[in-house]
Amino acid sequence: MKKFLFILFCGLLTTLSGHAQNSSYGTSPFAKDKVYVGASLTGLKLDYNSKEKWHLGIDARGGWLFQDNWMLLGTVGIDTRYHSYDTFTLGAGARYYIEQNGLYLGAGANYIHFDAMDDFRPSIQLGYAFFLNGTVTIEPEIYYNQSFKNHSDYSGFGLRIGIGLYFDEIW
């Protein structure tokens, strides 16, 4: 029985991995000149640092694959915090997709405004683009934000869950 379940599990993973990397147009899902639109949810006790015990954040993202597997990305977001300040985020960055398995590595810089204070926070990310069909993805992501204002209070790791849409060239 254990062997049967193991074989079934491996077959399921193979099927999902194969489906995750197919595009409806027969090209790479991360081909040059594709456009990306996405939204993500962060917080819900998945993000932690010493000052922000709980928060809920919503981000909107837009991007363009300027080269195969390389994306320029812009982000705008808002976070609301329990018994504390709300923040507004404006950021830019880049992603590199490891096409064989859907993993991506990202780096960016975010301008954060909160409670009459501004901060600049570089960020690194590791995520996975899981294709539900040729254009729609679910994107879990682990990130680290580094604060220059107060490292011990505002730098931290977090988990972000997003949904993304990848379109062929639109201009």
Side-chain angles (χ1 to χ4, degrees), residues 28-38 61-67 70-73 95 97 131 134-137 139 164-171:
S28 166
F30 312 114
K32 181 179 179 181
D33 289 332
K34 286 203 173 192
V35 176
Y36 168 81
V37 177
R61 298 167 179 245
W64 170 60
L65 282 121
F66 66 94
Q67 191 68 31
W70 285 95
M71 180 192 291
L72 292 176
L73 192 65
R95 282 185 185 174
Y97 290 90
F131 278 83
T135 57
V136 179
T137 60
E139 298 178 346
L165 303 170
Y166 290 78
F167 299 105
D168 284 328
E169 177 180 5
I170 59 174
W171 50 78

Side-chain angles (χ1 to χ4, degrees), residues 39-44 46 56-59 139 143 159-163:
S40 62
L41 181 68
T42 186
L44 299 173
L46 299 175
L56 173 64
I58 298 172
D59 294 334
E139 298 178 346
Y143 63 90
L159 177 64
R160 183 178 293 127
I161 305 293
I163 187 165

Side-chain angles (χ1 to χ4, degrees), residues 103-151:
L103 283 175
Y104 62 84
L105 303 172
N110 298 310
Y111 165 76
I112 312 288
H113 175 75
F114 59 95
D115 195 30
M117 187 170 118
D118 298 325
D119 196 1
F120 174 74
R121 295 183 190 170
S123 176
I124 56 172
Q125 307 94 30
L126 172 64
Y128 180 72
F130 178 76
F131 278 83
L132 298 176
N133 63 25
T135 57
V136 179
T137 60
I138 293 180
E139 298 178 346
E141 179 180 281
I142 298 170
Y143 63 90
Y144 177 75
N145 290 330
Q146 171 66 47
S147 173
F148 282 132
K149 285 284 186 190
N150 189 334
H151 169 73

